[in-house]
Amino acid sequence: MRVGILTAGGDCPGLNATIRGVVKAIYQKMDNVEIVGIVDGFKGLIEGEYHEMKPSDFWGILTRGGTILGTARTPYKQMKVVENDVDKVARMKQNYKKMKLDCLLTLGGNGTHKTANLLAQEGLNVIGLPKTIDNDLWGTDVTFGFHTAVDIGTEVVDRVHTTASSHKRVMVIEVMGNKAGWLTLYTGLAGGADVILIPEIPYDIRAVIRAVEKRAAAGRGFSIVCVAEGAMNTAEAKMKKKERAQYRAEQGISTATNRIAREIGETSFETRTVVPGHFARGGAPSAYDRVLASQFGAYAANLVSQGIFGVTVAMRNNAVVHNPLSEVAGKTKLVPPDHQIVLTARQLGIAFGDEL
Ligand code: F6P
């Protein structure tokens, strides 16, 4: 049996741990199995770039950040577009055959799952594994990479906290996550933020400033504001994505974070912006993610040995399960504004910028 593996989209902690989990369990369970590592995600499948892997290629990778296979962003939208006479879908099917694969494991987030579903519909034996620091994949309570990113973000907030408190400043920290605010929500709550702004709950800057002022009036001269990359104010929330981008370009607004920091800074508060950015995606996975990666990997190995394809691995109510790719593809798991963690944060007095 020949099993192809690829990692696609943005890298994140836990990719290698998951690859190791799958492969170790496959080697334990099945005889005469060969692992084919496809280079740089779907790009490698389109271009026919791959390595036949040996067991020793997977040694010592549990703690290694990034992905040993390499990755690339190959947007789903372009998959069906023929470029330079290359029909990408046809190429992927041809290369799958050329590599003599019996199945293909795709480790990735939302975009990856859309392409994985497309390939499954084209008749390939595909199994998805849920990766993303954004935790926004439909059908799973958690994705690998998310909790490591929360840990990293929390450490950032902890460290920034001491400067905020010493200087009595408002520190505005941008957390990754363009569509979904999970990472900002968890990081903010874990780091003891005073304001959390996420795309799912549009903010009014007056409410943000009021929250900061309220703290100052109570003798807390500093505040921590955690802002998701994709945060938007109530006016922008009414616009379509393109309209919003155009509006920001016209207004000279680079990011929501910068605008929020400027607007708070225009009051009496000294303000600084911190953008940890890709820090959240780098380095070793946390213990939680190593365990999750191992669980997901072992489960995927079972799917391979049972010949169950066209599905993606998921965690639901503390049990590893699988969902049909067709049910997951194209759906984003956003933070419900009445999610229990949002309510908990509100109970603790954390502002979401929506209460005037
Ligand atoms: O999807 C993961 C993510 O880290 C998002 O949170 C972020 O918006 C995006 O990827 C950044 O992508 P890139 O690394 O391609 O700039």
Side-chain angles (χ1 to χ4, degrees):
M1 177 148 202
R2 275 168 73 89
V3 179
I5 305 185
L6 63 80
T7 55
D11 74 334
C12 85
L15 277 167
N16 288 327
T18 305
I19 293 171
R20 170 186 176 271
V22 179
V23 170
K24 274 198 134 196
I26 285 181
Y27 283 145
Q28 291 283 329
K29 210 175 173 73
M30 299 166 77
D31 295 324
N32 300 324
V33 65
E34 285 165 20
I35 307 291
V36 177
I38 295 156
V39 178
D40 294 346
F42 293 111
K43 184 171 172 281
L45 191 57
I46 295 165
E47 294 172 2
E49 240 199 286
Y50 66 98
H51 300 298
E52 274 160 8
M53 314 285 286
K54 351 180 251 312
S56 60
D57 292 327
F58 305 103
W59 294 351
I61 64 168
L62 175 63
T63 57
R64 200 188 300 174
T67 159
I68 58 165
L69 299 175
T71 188
R73 289 202 187 273
T74 29
Y76 172 73
K77 268 191 202 154
Q78 282 162 29
M79 282 300 178
K80 287 183 181 167
V81 179
V82 176
E83 273 173 309
N84 304 324
D85 284 336
V86 177
D87 178 333
K88 301 182 193 86
V89 177
R91 277 284 176 89
M92 287 193 277
K93 287 166 70 179
Q94 281 160 15
N95 283 324
Y96 178 95
K97 273 204 187 119
K98 225 190 239 170
M99 295 176 200
K100 297 192 172 65
L101 298 183
D102 295 295
C103 65
L104 173 66
L105 305 185
T106 61
L107 283 62
N110 278 316
T112 304
H113 277 75
K114 283 194 257 182
T115 302
N117 182 46
L118 172 69
L119 293 179
Q121 283 170 348
E122 291 286 329
L124 307 192
N125 294 332
V126 186
I127 297 171
L129 282 134
K131 165 239 72 162
T132 167
I133 63 160
D134 295 343
N135 197 31
D136 61 352
L137 199 73
W138 184 267
T140 184
D141 297 338
V142 68
T143 52
F144 64 84
F146 172 65
H147 278 287
T148 307
V150 172
D151 290 350
I152 296 169
T154 303
E155 161 118 37
V156 169
V157 178
D158 287 350
R159 289 182 184 276
V160 167
H161 231 119
T162 59
T163 302
S165 135
S166 307
H167 287 263
K168 290 162 200 69
R169 286 177 179 160
V170 176
M171 302 298 279
V172 182
I173 306 169
E174 181 177 286
V175 181
M176 274 196 167
N178 245 318
K179 286 192 187 144
W182 294 107
L183 189 54
T184 310
L185 178 62
Y186 274 68
T187 300
L189 186 57
D194 307 297
V195 181
I196 295 176
L197 304 177
I198 59 175
E200 296 90 337
I201 306 178
Y203 69 88
D204 183 319
I205 193 64
R206 291 171 300 171
V208 176
I209 292 171
R210 192 161 301 166
V212 170
E213 284 173 346
K214 205 170 140 197
R215 272 177 59 79
R220 303 291 268 163
F222 73 92
S223 284
I224 300 287
V225 182
C226 281
V227 182
E229 259 182 321
M232 59 187 96
N233 63 28
T234 45
E236 289 173 325
K238 296 190 184 110
M239 302 174 192
K240 296 224 166 77
K241 198 176 163 194
K242 268 195 187 156
E243 234 182 298
R244 193 161 52 240
Q246 197 186 334
Y247 165 78
R248 285 194 182 173
E250 282 164 8
Q251 301 285 315
I253 299 159
S254 51
T255 62
T257 315
N258 285 337
R259 176 179 55 194
I260 291 161
R262 177 175 48 75
E263 288 170 329
I264 300 173
E266 282 165 3
T267 65
S268 58
F269 298 99
E270 195 184 349
T271 307
R272 293 286 188 276
T273 304
V274 180
V275 184
H278 289 80
F279 262 69
R281 295 227 312 249
S286 63
Y288 178 96
D289 271 330
R290 292 180 207 180
V291 172
L292 187 67
S294 304
Q295 285 180 283
F296 281 167
Y299 190 93
N302 283 345
L303 294 174
V304 171
S305 71
Q306 288 165 35
I308 300 173
F309 303 117
V311 297
T312 187
V313 180
M315 179 70 81
R316 269 209 314 263
N317 301 327
N318 279 328
V320 186
V321 295
H322 58 272
N323 293 315
L325 279 168
S326 56
E327 267 181 26
V328 171
K331 291 189 203 153
T332 306
K333 184 186 72 181
L334 299 176
V335 178
D338 61 351
H339 190 276
Q340 205 169 21
I341 294 186
V342 175
L343 302 183
T344 300
R346 287 193 197 275
Q347 268 185 284
L348 301 190
I350 297 173
F352 283 82
D354 60 339
E355 282 175 344
L356 269 175

